[in-house]
Amino acid sequence: MKTLTRFALLLGLMTSVSANLVLSASADSTADLILSLKCQGGYNINIWRRYNSGELLYRAWI
């Protein structure tokens, strides 16, 4: 039972993280690319910072 609970928790966490990565933010000429990551599983993540507000944006894709 302990193993099943851990598996369910891990699956829920992975689903939550995946859902957050899919929600991408659009970056335009008002933002500067500050970090580009190539992750395991073929994920690519770009992190941008808006010039005027300093807000961080990200875009992730496979």
Side-chain angles (χ1 to χ4, degrees), residues 2-57:
K2 217 177 206 184
T3 303
L4 183 59
T5 303
R6 286 183 183 169
F7 176 74
L9 181 61
L10 182 61
L11 182 62
L13 181 61
M14 288 172 33
T15 303
S16 175
V17 169
S18 295
N20 284 329
L21 290 177
V22 171
L23 300 173
S24 61
S26 61
D28 53 32
S29 62
T30 63
D32 189 25
L33 180 66
I34 60 171
L35 182 63
S36 182
L37 302 170
K38 291 188 182 219
C39 303
Q40 289 180 339
Y43 284 99
N44 295 308
I45 302 170
N46 287 341
I47 300 176
W48 305 77
R49 181 183 305 242
R50 288 190 184 247
Y51 294 126
N52 56 355
S53 66
E55 176 186 15
L56 294 177
L57 308 169

